[in-house]
Amino acid sequence: MPIICPRLFSLSRVQLATLCQSLNNPHGRSRFFAPLYSSSIRVAQMSWDTREVSSDRYRLGGFRSFCTVKDLSTKKCVPCNSDTLKAMNEEAANTLICQVPEWNLINQDGVLKLQRSWKAKTFMKGLEFFQAVAEVAEAEGHHPDLHLVGWNNVNIDIWTHSVAGLTENDFILAAKISGLNLPHLLRKQAGK
Ligand SMILES: C[C@H](O)[C@H](O)[C@H]1CNC2=NC(N)=NC(=O)C2=N1
């Protein structure tokens, strides 16, 4: 099914925004997947994301064609001590975040980071999860901040320390962590 560029939609953004807003869930994140039809163009499925932005304001992230996490998870991180490596701006981060939809984009003391939480089934399984993440990080030469609090609350922050911000490395690592299939270690959803 072809992905049609959003600006070709015949419905106005306002109409679609109203429609999507009604689907907004209390967590401020709606994901509106629907085949949309206009008079001349059958629009492929699309996702309409609202994302928590750095200043905790929710705003509609605008239409984005489908991003597939496979693109990032097949990439390789580059050395963080490269002189050419620069932190990306919030706009660029908001574009890339749709490729790792389970992660949140946060701004912690002026530093953009990726963050995600899980519930581990036990304290030891939380550490086993960290071990699996550590192997990915070592293979990539790019490392997350790992937190295990309250015995089973697993939180991971990812950012590039050498540039005090986000680079594509962080999204690649996030995509690879999202690709880990460890249902024996983690509950289905954080908070369950
Ligand atoms: C030389 C090597 O690239 C650096 O020491 C790496 C190691 N892992 C890293 N991980 C992260 N998240 N940020 C860094 O700046 C970083 N630097």
Side-chain angles (χ1 to χ4, degrees):
M1 190 185 321
I3 297 285
I4 308 289
C5 169
R7 56 177 168 275
L8 296 180
F9 297 148
S10 62
L11 291 176
S12 78
R13 275 173 78 93
V14 172
Q15 287 166 316
L16 286 167
T18 310
L19 177 60
C20 295
Q21 282 291 18
S22 64
L23 294 171
N24 214 342
N25 65 26
H27 304 293
R29 173 173 290 178
S30 73
R31 200 173 299 291
F32 177 62
F33 291 92
L36 285 177
Y37 300 85
S38 65
S39 53
S40 56
I41 298 171
R42 179 176 187 283
V43 176
Q45 280 189 329
M46 60 187 182
S47 77
W48 173 289
D49 280 30
T50 59
R51 291 268 172 220
E52 183 175 344
V53 292
S54 54
S55 50
D56 291 332
R57 277 179 299 108
Y58 289 108
R59 64 185 167 82
L60 289 175
F63 280 99
R64 295 187 179 94
S65 60
F66 263 143
C67 311
T68 52
V69 85
K70 188 166 177 4
D71 306 337
L72 283 171
S73 65
T74 58
K75 292 190 163 185
K76 188 93 182 96
C77 292
V78 299
C80 297
N81 53 3
S82 152
D83 296 340
T84 58
L85 204 62
K86 298 274 182 286
M88 67 177 70
N89 62 30
E90 190 168 339
E91 196 60 36
N94 268 308
T95 301
L96 269 176
I97 192 75
C98 81
Q99 295 196 41
V100 280
E102 307 88 351
W103 292 79
N104 293 304
L105 180 59
I106 63 167
N107 184 323
Q108 215 164 54
D109 306 325
V111 179
L112 286 180
K113 298 180 181 179
L114 300 180
Q115 187 173 75
R116 189 176 170 186
S117 299
W118 296 259
K119 281 278 190 201
K121 289 186 173 175
T122 67
F123 179 75
M124 293 307 284
K125 290 185 174 185
L127 292 175
E128 264 186 76
F129 174 59
F130 280 170
Q131 183 62 38
V133 170
E135 280 159 25
V136 173
E138 280 296 287
E140 292 301 318
H142 196 65
H143 305 84
D145 297 347
L146 305 175
H147 310 271
L148 175 52
V149 295
W151 69 269
N152 72 341
N153 296 289
V154 170
N155 306 305
I156 297 185
D157 295 340
I158 307 178
W159 54 296
T160 302
H161 298 245
S162 58
V163 298
L166 284 175
T167 65
E168 192 187 43
N169 279 354
D170 303 307
F171 291 87
I172 291 168
L173 181 60
K176 291 177 188 274
I177 292 171
S178 292
L180 291 173
N181 182 18
L182 303 166
H184 61 297
L185 302 179
L186 305 168
R187 291 191 193 163
K188 278 215 181 309
Q189 281 176 9
K192 292 278 181 229

